[in-house]
Amino acid sequence: MSSNVGLNTPRGSGTSGYVQRNQSFLRPRDPIIPTDIHSQKHQPRQPDQEILKHDRLREIEVKVFDMQVQLEDDDVDEDEIEIRTAALRKQLTDDITDSQTGVRDLKPHQVHELAQAKIAESEKLRKALGIREDYEEGSHWRRQEERSMAARNHPVDN
């Protein structure tokens, strides 16, 4: 028995009396206090354009592969399969535009697509509400505070 930890005696407890540390306990860390005002502003996650491009090209290749398998099952000549798949690949590549996929259609693991949809949604909302692009959060309160300071420093005589 050490450091007043555990049972006085393991008799009748149905245990060996061995005490071990709780490995799952997370110790609280010192809170990180940001000193820079810009670090407190919300910055949306920027999607990786390379990953988005890769996903779009992968979707094209899946469609081309499905067509190729279908043509092989229909016993079409290899040269004809190559011509048709190349034509489909070219058509789909030409049609590749940043299609606006709804957020509801996206799955949780598609973080880059979700980030792109969220940025587009925020931009649409900003335009709908008529908020300027150079708007800074809290600028209204700052201007109001400057006016009240100016009024205190220069009182108007009647």
Side-chain angles (χ1 to χ4, degrees), residues 16-79:
S16 66
Y18 181 74
V19 177
Q20 63 186 37
R21 194 174 87 181
N22 182 355
Q23 299 285 336
S24 64
F25 177 70
L26 297 175
R27 295 182 185 160
R29 302 227 177 216
D30 294 334
I32 300 172
I33 301 170
T35 57
D36 185 19
I37 188 88
H38 296 293
S39 64
Q40 293 178 346
K41 288 179 19 179
H42 171 69
Q43 296 293 328
R45 174 183 226 166
Q46 297 298 319
D48 188 351
Q49 296 301 323
E50 290 295 319
I51 293 176
L52 293 173
K53 180 182 176 187
H54 172 79
D55 287 344
R56 281 188 237 114
L57 293 176
R58 185 178 176 278
E59 287 176 17
I60 289 173
E61 288 302 318
V62 167
K63 291 176 184 175
V64 169
F65 184 73
D66 288 342
M67 181 180 163
Q68 182 179 355
V69 168
Q70 181 66 33
L71 291 174
E72 286 174 355
D73 290 344
D74 295 342
D75 293 328
V76 178
D77 186 37
E78 287 292 324
D79 295 332

Side-chain angles (χ1 to χ4, degrees), residues 10 35 43 66 88 121 139-140:
T35 57
Q43 296 293 328
D66 288 342
L88 178 65
E121 179 185 2
S139 61
H140 172 76

Side-chain angles (χ1 to χ4, degrees), residues 1-9 17 19:
M1 181 85 187
S2 65
S3 302
N4 259 349
V5 177
L7 304 170
N8 289 334
T9 174
V19 177

Side-chain angles (χ1 to χ4, degrees), residues 39-148:
S39 64
Q40 293 178 346
K41 288 179 19 179
H42 171 69
Q43 296 293 328
R45 174 183 226 166
Q46 297 298 319
D48 188 351
Q49 296 301 323
E50 290 295 319
I51 293 176
L52 293 173
K53 180 182 176 187
H54 172 79
D55 287 344
R56 281 188 237 114
L57 293 176
R58 185 178 176 278
E59 287 176 17
I60 289 173
E61 288 302 318
V62 167
K63 291 176 184 175
V64 169
F65 184 73
D66 288 342
M67 181 180 163
Q68 182 179 355
V69 168
Q70 181 66 33
L71 291 174
E72 286 174 355
D73 290 344
D74 295 342
D75 293 328
V76 178
D77 186 37
E78 287 292 324
D79 295 332
E80 182 66 24
I81 291 175
E82 286 295 322
I83 292 170
R84 287 187 186 180
T85 55
L88 178 65
R89 185 178 289 118
K90 182 171 179 6
Q91 176 193 357
L92 292 174
T93 305
D94 291 343
D95 292 344
I96 195 171
T97 56
D98 293 337
S99 60
Q100 294 295 330
T101 307
V103 176
R104 295 179 187 171
D105 300 336
L106 298 174
K107 295 185 174 47
H109 69 274
Q110 296 174 309
V111 292
H112 296 278
E113 289 87 349
L114 284 170
Q116 185 177 29
K118 183 65 175 175
I119 289 173
E121 179 185 2
S122 296
E123 186 66 21
K124 185 177 176 182
L125 182 64
R126 185 189 62 75
K127 286 180 180 178
L129 295 175
I131 300 173
R132 298 185 323 263
E133 286 187 42
D134 61 342
Y135 175 76
E136 191 174 319
E137 284 185 39
S139 61
H140 172 76
W141 303 112
R142 190 170 36 254
R143 279 185 269 137
Q144 188 174 355
E145 183 67 27
E146 288 171 359
R147 281 190 221 123
S148 66

